[in-house]
Amino acid sequence: MPLRADMMADLCRIAPELILCVFGILLVALEPFVPSSSKRALGWLAFSGSLVAIASLWIVARHPGPAYGGLIQVDNFSLFFHGIILGSVAVVILGSINYLCEERLQRGEYYALVLFAAAGMGVLAGAGELITSFLGLEMSSISTYILAAFRRDARKSNESALKYFILGSFATAFFLYGIAMTYGATGTTRFTGIAQALSISGPTLLAVLGLGMMLVGLGFKVVIAPFQIYAPDVYEGAPTPVTALLASAPKVAAFALMLRIFYVAFGPVQHIWFWAIWISAVLTMCAGNFAALLQTNVKRMLAYSSIAHAGYILVAFAASTELGIAAVLFYLAAYALMKIGAFTVITHVGGRGERHLELSDYAGLAKKQPAIAACFTLFLLSLLGLPATGGFMGKFYAFQAGLDSRIIWLVVIAALNSIVGAYYYLRVILTMYFREPAGESGPDAGLGSEIEWMPQPVAASIWVVLIIAALGTLYLGIFPSRVMEFALRSAASLR
Amino acid sequence: MIPTTHYLYLSLALFTIGIVGVLTRRNVIVMLMSIELILNAVNINLVAFSRAYGAVAGQVFAIFIITDAAAEAAVGLGIILAFFRNRETVLADEMDLLKW
């Protein structure tokens, strides 16, 4: 029966999303029956769910092609992004388990929401059409709004979630208006159909306006200037494991959608959007780096640094070649690893109630917990872009792609910006290694002000996360060729 | 028959009202309502184009957007409620814990 075989193949193509949703529903359904002393088990269930989803990528890889009449597109490109997204989500879940116990927030909904968000991001990575991509975007956004508010009694968490929600849904509304205009200009919502219509009609006013509106919406989601204003507030206020998630997977997924929309759907009018991306890249890099210089809160500083990194990624994006797309993919993989690593260190050092986020709290960390300090140093050096780390190879490929396409000024600005970045990354490292810790200060100093503050012992799950992130960062830095080859093949499958 | 451009003007008007609402209002709930206005502007656009092309995709999309708007409103009001319980306010300019 050919029809049945077709249906099975389509189901195989969305296997990771199905698995994530099934595990998410299972978690919500089990939640009331699990005694509160053993809620931790739900975390492990979610973690195994994400591992099963990763394993299912092998099934997906055997069924390349369009699913459901082109709504979903399975190719190397979507596989690459699924790899980054699902990997990030698995690691973030692992890094959350301990945090949630300490904050007494250990609940099944948290993990379910992470899995639903991951399913949405998976849809984004594979979307071949605008309605599907909108659904994926909203699945991941709405889940992350709730996650940002998960510390219900913390004022900062509430405020962060509220800002994220208002600006996020505002951005979505822009994105939708852009879609409506594009639909009006081309009469279709499929990416390939839009490309066909545009190559016949040329850039009509309606289509260009539509693309501009979509850029506003996507700009919010990938956090590029001038739409980056909300990000530091949201990243600072959200629970730290959620920040690790926000800074990695949704951004990666939104970049996947952005690549598809700009290169596939609006590929025929590349000369029109090139300058928008160019200007945005410069603004993003400068806004991120210069604001990061002024921060004393490490969590907030890393939020600005992730804005700066979006700028470097845009350099590769603007290159408009296959090497450029591959560089974006490689950079995103390296970026997700080092950001999750860095935010996991912050989760650990922050301690109960997230009280130790200031730079001064990191003074003397190298003596208190040398291994943690070493891991953090590695992630910071990778963010800085030192050789032998993933961050370096990411920048290397991005700048090379830029030079190949003769956007030399953009590459020069990016290189200058990474020098500015060196200042604030190195400041944290110097503080950890060379500054003597000050006595406990702040609201709860009181009698114990003489006693030096010690971070809590490192939980096993945090270790695993740090080791995975550190090894991954080093692997991408020292043996980049295999991942880069796959990235090149993915970029080729996009065109 | 009403020409498509009329629908587009209506939609543009709604869109503008929505944007001005989000940017100028202090009350978060009114901001949420303004966002809903923009979403409805999108719906009008989609349905108008769908009629102009004689294709059904735009109308299907509008149904998805209505569903999504409901989900968004539910989550958003939940977040606003949590915020209100801690801070006793729903005014945007009093969200000042996090800033540069």
Short mmCIF file of all heavy atoms in Angstrom, two decimals, chain A residues 237-276:
data_model
loop_
_atom_site.label_atom_id
_atom_site.label_comp_id
_atom_site.label_asym_id
_atom_site.label_seq_id
_atom_site.Cartn_x
_atom_site.Cartn_y
_atom_site.Cartn_z
N GLY A 237 17.15 38.41 34.33
CA GLY A 237 16.10 38.10 35.28
C GLY A 237 15.65 36.65 35.25
O GLY A 237 15.18 36.13 36.24
N ALA A 238 15.79 35.99 34.12
CA ALA A 238 15.31 34.61 34.01
C ALA A 238 16.17 33.70 34.88
O ALA A 238 17.32 34.01 35.15
CB ALA A 238 15.37 34.16 32.56
N PRO A 239 15.60 32.57 35.34
CA PRO A 239 16.42 31.60 36.07
C PRO A 239 17.64 31.21 35.20
O PRO A 239 17.49 31.05 34.00
CB PRO A 239 15.48 30.41 36.25
CG PRO A 239 14.11 30.95 36.06
CD PRO A 239 14.23 32.12 35.17
N THR A 240 18.80 31.06 35.81
CA THR A 240 20.01 30.90 35.00
C THR A 240 19.98 29.72 34.02
O THR A 240 20.40 29.89 32.87
CB THR A 240 21.25 30.79 35.90
OG1 THR A 240 21.12 31.75 36.94
CG2 THR A 240 22.50 31.09 35.12
N PRO A 241 19.48 28.54 34.39
CA PRO A 241 19.42 27.48 33.37
C PRO A 241 18.53 27.87 32.20
O PRO A 241 18.82 27.51 31.05
CB PRO A 241 18.82 26.29 34.13
CG PRO A 241 19.01 26.59 35.54
CD PRO A 241 19.00 28.05 35.69
N VAL A 242 17.47 28.64 32.49
CA VAL A 242 16.61 29.10 31.39
C VAL A 242 17.38 30.09 30.52
O VAL A 242 17.25 30.09 29.30
CB VAL A 242 15.32 29.74 31.95
CG1 VAL A 242 14.48 30.31 30.83
CG2 VAL A 242 14.53 28.72 32.71
N THR A 243 18.20 30.93 31.16
CA THR A 243 19.03 31.85 30.37
C THR A 243 19.94 31.06 29.45
O THR A 243 20.13 31.43 28.29
CB THR A 243 19.86 32.73 31.30
OG1 THR A 243 19.01 33.30 32.27
CG2 THR A 243 20.54 33.82 30.53
N ALA A 244 20.51 29.97 29.99
CA ALA A 244 21.38 29.13 29.15
C ALA A 244 20.60 28.63 27.94
O ALA A 244 21.11 28.61 26.82
CB ALA A 244 21.91 27.96 29.96
N LEU A 245 19.34 28.26 28.18
CA LEU A 245 18.51 27.79 27.06
C LEU A 245 18.22 28.93 26.09
O LEU A 245 18.43 28.80 24.88
CB LEU A 245 17.20 27.21 27.60
CG LEU A 245 16.24 26.69 26.53
CD1 LEU A 245 16.77 25.40 25.95
CD2 LEU A 245 14.86 26.45 27.09
N LEU A 246 17.77 30.07 26.64
CA LEU A 246 17.39 31.21 25.78
C LEU A 246 18.56 31.66 24.92
O LEU A 246 18.38 32.01 23.75
CB LEU A 246 16.95 32.39 26.64
CG LEU A 246 15.64 32.29 27.37
CD1 LEU A 246 15.39 33.56 28.14
CD2 LEU A 246 14.53 32.07 26.38
N ALA A 247 19.75 31.63 25.50
CA ALA A 247 20.90 32.14 24.76
C ALA A 247 21.36 31.16 23.70
O ALA A 247 22.09 31.55 22.80
CB ALA A 247 22.04 32.42 25.73
N SER A 248 20.93 29.90 23.80
CA SER A 248 21.45 28.94 22.83
C SER A 248 20.38 28.49 21.83
O SER A 248 20.29 29.03 20.73
CB SER A 248 22.05 27.73 23.55
OG SER A 248 21.08 27.16 24.40
N ALA A 249 19.55 27.54 22.24
CA ALA A 249 18.70 26.86 21.27
C ALA A 249 17.72 27.75 20.49
O ALA A 249 17.70 27.69 19.26
CB ALA A 249 17.97 25.71 21.95
N PRO A 250 16.92 28.63 21.14
CA PRO A 250 15.96 29.40 20.35
C PRO A 250 16.64 30.31 19.35
O PRO A 250 16.15 30.53 18.24
CB PRO A 250 15.21 30.24 21.39
CG PRO A 250 15.46 29.59 22.68
CD PRO A 250 16.78 28.92 22.57
N LYS A 251 17.80 30.83 19.74
CA LYS A 251 18.55 31.70 18.86
C LYS A 251 19.03 30.92 17.64
O LYS A 251 18.93 31.39 16.50
CB LYS A 251 19.73 32.22 19.65
CG LYS A 251 20.16 33.58 19.25
CD LYS A 251 20.98 34.16 20.37
CE LYS A 251 21.90 35.19 19.83
NZ LYS A 251 22.50 36.00 20.86
N VAL A 252 19.53 29.72 17.90
CA VAL A 252 20.01 28.86 16.82
C VAL A 252 18.86 28.56 15.86
O VAL A 252 18.99 28.68 14.64
CB VAL A 252 20.59 27.56 17.40
CG1 VAL A 252 20.92 26.58 16.30
CG2 VAL A 252 21.83 27.86 18.22
N ALA A 253 17.70 28.20 16.44
CA ALA A 253 16.56 27.83 15.61
C ALA A 253 16.09 29.03 14.79
O ALA A 253 15.75 28.91 13.61
CB ALA A 253 15.43 27.31 16.49
N ALA A 254 16.09 30.22 15.43
CA ALA A 254 15.63 31.40 14.70
C ALA A 254 16.60 31.73 13.57
O ALA A 254 16.19 32.19 12.50
CB ALA A 254 15.49 32.58 15.65
N PHE A 255 17.89 31.47 13.79
CA PHE A 255 18.84 31.68 12.70
C PHE A 255 18.57 30.71 11.55
O PHE A 255 18.73 31.07 10.37
CB PHE A 255 20.28 31.51 13.20
CG PHE A 255 20.97 32.82 13.43
CD1 PHE A 255 21.35 33.20 14.70
CD2 PHE A 255 21.24 33.68 12.38
CE1 PHE A 255 21.97 34.41 14.92
CE2 PHE A 255 21.86 34.89 12.59
CZ PHE A 255 22.23 35.26 13.87
N ALA A 256 18.16 29.48 11.90
CA ALA A 256 17.83 28.52 10.84
C ALA A 256 16.71 29.06 9.97
O ALA A 256 16.79 29.05 8.73
CB ALA A 256 17.42 27.18 11.47
N LEU A 257 15.67 29.59 10.63
CA LEU A 257 14.54 30.14 9.88
C LEU A 257 14.98 31.35 9.06
O LEU A 257 14.61 31.51 7.89
CB LEU A 257 13.43 30.52 10.85
CG LEU A 257 12.22 31.18 10.20
CD1 LEU A 257 11.58 30.23 9.21
CD2 LEU A 257 11.22 31.60 11.24
N MET A 258 15.81 32.18 9.67
CA MET A 258 16.28 33.38 8.98
C MET A 258 17.06 33.00 7.73
O MET A 258 16.88 33.60 6.66
CB MET A 258 17.15 34.17 9.95
CG MET A 258 17.32 35.61 9.59
SD MET A 258 17.97 36.48 11.00
CE MET A 258 18.78 37.82 10.15
N LEU A 259 17.92 31.99 7.85
CA LEU A 259 18.68 31.54 6.68
C LEU A 259 17.74 31.08 5.59
O LEU A 259 17.90 31.42 4.42
CB LEU A 259 19.63 30.41 7.07
CG LEU A 259 20.92 30.80 7.76
CD1 LEU A 259 21.62 29.58 8.30
CD2 LEU A 259 21.83 31.54 6.80
N ARG A 260 16.74 30.28 5.98
CA ARG A 260 15.83 29.76 4.96
C ARG A 260 15.05 30.89 4.29
O ARG A 260 14.88 30.91 3.08
CB ARG A 260 14.86 28.75 5.57
CG ARG A 260 15.43 27.37 5.68
CD ARG A 260 14.32 26.34 5.61
NE ARG A 260 14.72 25.13 6.31
CZ ARG A 260 15.15 24.05 5.68
NH1 ARG A 260 15.26 24.02 4.38
NH2 ARG A 260 15.49 22.98 6.38
N ILE A 261 14.54 31.81 5.10
CA ILE A 261 13.74 32.89 4.52
C ILE A 261 14.61 33.76 3.61
O ILE A 261 14.22 34.08 2.49
CB ILE A 261 13.09 33.74 5.63
CG1 ILE A 261 11.99 32.93 6.30
CG2 ILE A 261 12.51 35.03 5.06
CD1 ILE A 261 11.23 33.67 7.34
N PHE A 262 15.81 34.12 4.08
CA PHE A 262 16.61 35.05 3.31
C PHE A 262 17.26 34.38 2.11
O PHE A 262 17.32 34.97 1.04
CB PHE A 262 17.68 35.71 4.20
CG PHE A 262 17.12 36.83 5.01
CD1 PHE A 262 16.21 36.59 6.02
CD2 PHE A 262 17.47 38.14 4.76
CE1 PHE A 262 15.67 37.61 6.77
CE2 PHE A 262 16.93 39.18 5.50
CZ PHE A 262 16.04 38.91 6.50
N TYR A 263 17.77 33.18 2.29
CA TYR A 263 18.51 32.57 1.19
C TYR A 263 17.63 31.78 0.23
O TYR A 263 17.89 31.77 -0.96
CB TYR A 263 19.63 31.67 1.73
CG TYR A 263 20.85 32.46 2.09
CD1 TYR A 263 21.13 32.79 3.41
CD2 TYR A 263 21.72 32.90 1.10
CE1 TYR A 263 22.24 33.54 3.73
CE2 TYR A 263 22.84 33.64 1.43
CZ TYR A 263 23.09 33.96 2.73
OH TYR A 263 24.18 34.70 3.05
N VAL A 264 16.61 31.11 0.77
CA VAL A 264 15.76 30.31 -0.12
C VAL A 264 14.64 31.19 -0.68
O VAL A 264 14.54 31.40 -1.90
CB VAL A 264 15.17 29.09 0.61
CG1 VAL A 264 14.30 28.29 -0.34
CG2 VAL A 264 16.29 28.23 1.15
N ALA A 265 13.79 31.73 0.22
CA ALA A 265 12.61 32.45 -0.27
C ALA A 265 13.00 33.76 -0.94
O ALA A 265 12.53 34.08 -2.03
CB ALA A 265 11.65 32.70 0.89
N PHE A 266 13.88 34.54 -0.28
CA PHE A 266 14.23 35.84 -0.82
C PHE A 266 15.61 35.84 -1.47
O PHE A 266 16.24 36.88 -1.63
CB PHE A 266 14.13 36.93 0.25
CG PHE A 266 12.71 37.28 0.58
CD1 PHE A 266 11.98 36.53 1.48
CD2 PHE A 266 12.09 38.34 -0.06
CE1 PHE A 266 10.66 36.83 1.76
CE2 PHE A 266 10.77 38.65 0.22
CZ PHE A 266 10.06 37.89 1.13
N GLY A 267 16.09 34.64 -1.84
CA GLY A 267 17.37 34.54 -2.53
C GLY A 267 17.44 35.40 -3.79
O GLY A 267 18.46 36.05 -4.05
N PRO A 268 16.38 35.44 -4.62
CA PRO A 268 16.46 36.23 -5.85
C PRO A 268 16.64 37.73 -5.63
O PRO A 268 17.05 38.41 -6.56
CB PRO A 268 15.10 35.96 -6.52
CG PRO A 268 14.64 34.68 -5.95
CD PRO A 268 15.16 34.64 -4.56
N VAL A 269 16.34 38.24 -4.44
CA VAL A 269 16.50 39.68 -4.23
C VAL A 269 17.57 39.96 -3.19
O VAL A 269 17.47 40.89 -2.40
CB VAL A 269 15.17 40.34 -3.81
CG1 VAL A 269 14.17 40.27 -4.93
CG2 VAL A 269 14.61 39.71 -2.56
N GLN A 270 18.62 39.14 -3.25
CA GLN A 270 19.68 39.24 -2.26
C GLN A 270 20.27 40.66 -2.16
O GLN A 270 20.58 41.14 -1.07
CB GLN A 270 20.79 38.28 -2.65
CG GLN A 270 21.56 37.74 -1.51
CD GLN A 270 22.39 36.56 -1.96
OE1 GLN A 270 23.12 36.63 -2.92
NE2 GLN A 270 22.27 35.45 -1.26
N HIS A 271 20.42 41.33 -3.29
CA HIS A 271 21.06 42.65 -3.27
C HIS A 271 20.27 43.64 -2.44
O HIS A 271 20.81 44.65 -1.99
CB HIS A 271 21.20 43.18 -4.71
CG HIS A 271 19.90 43.20 -5.46
ND1 HIS A 271 19.35 42.05 -6.01
CD2 HIS A 271 19.03 44.19 -5.73
CE1 HIS A 271 18.21 42.36 -6.59
NE2 HIS A 271 17.99 43.65 -6.43
N ILE A 272 18.97 43.35 -2.21
CA ILE A 272 18.17 44.30 -1.43
C ILE A 272 18.40 44.13 0.06
O ILE A 272 18.54 45.11 0.78
CB ILE A 272 16.68 44.14 -1.79
CG1 ILE A 272 16.49 44.69 -3.19
CG2 ILE A 272 15.79 44.87 -0.80
CD1 ILE A 272 15.09 44.67 -3.66
N TRP A 273 18.46 42.88 0.52
CA TRP A 273 18.61 42.72 1.97
C TRP A 273 20.05 42.74 2.42
O TRP A 273 20.33 42.83 3.62
CB TRP A 273 17.89 41.48 2.49
CG TRP A 273 18.20 40.15 1.86
CD1 TRP A 273 17.43 39.47 0.98
CD2 TRP A 273 19.33 39.31 2.12
NE1 TRP A 273 18.00 38.27 0.65
CE2 TRP A 273 19.17 38.16 1.34
CE3 TRP A 273 20.45 39.42 2.94
CZ2 TRP A 273 20.10 37.12 1.34
CZ3 TRP A 273 21.37 38.39 2.94
CH2 TRP A 273 21.19 37.25 2.14
N PHE A 274 21.00 42.71 1.50
CA PHE A 274 22.40 42.66 1.90
C PHE A 274 22.78 43.81 2.83
O PHE A 274 23.37 43.62 3.89
CB PHE A 274 23.31 42.64 0.67
CG PHE A 274 24.75 42.84 1.01
CD1 PHE A 274 25.49 41.79 1.53
CD2 PHE A 274 25.37 44.07 0.82
CE1 PHE A 274 26.82 41.96 1.86
CE2 PHE A 274 26.70 44.24 1.15
CZ PHE A 274 27.42 43.19 1.66
N TRP A 275 22.40 45.04 2.44
CA TRP A 275 22.82 46.19 3.24
C TRP A 275 22.12 46.24 4.59
O TRP A 275 22.70 46.72 5.57
CB TRP A 275 22.61 47.49 2.47
CG TRP A 275 23.66 47.63 1.42
CD1 TRP A 275 23.53 47.45 0.08
CD2 TRP A 275 25.05 47.90 1.65
NE1 TRP A 275 24.74 47.60 -0.54
CE2 TRP A 275 25.69 47.88 0.39
CE3 TRP A 275 25.82 48.15 2.78
CZ2 TRP A 275 27.06 48.11 0.24
CZ3 TRP A 275 27.17 48.38 2.63
CH2 TRP A 275 27.79 48.36 1.38
N ALA A 276 20.87 45.77 4.63
CA ALA A 276 20.19 45.72 5.93
C ALA A 276 20.97 44.83 6.89
O ALA A 276 21.21 45.18 8.06
CB ALA A 276 18.77 45.20 5.77
#
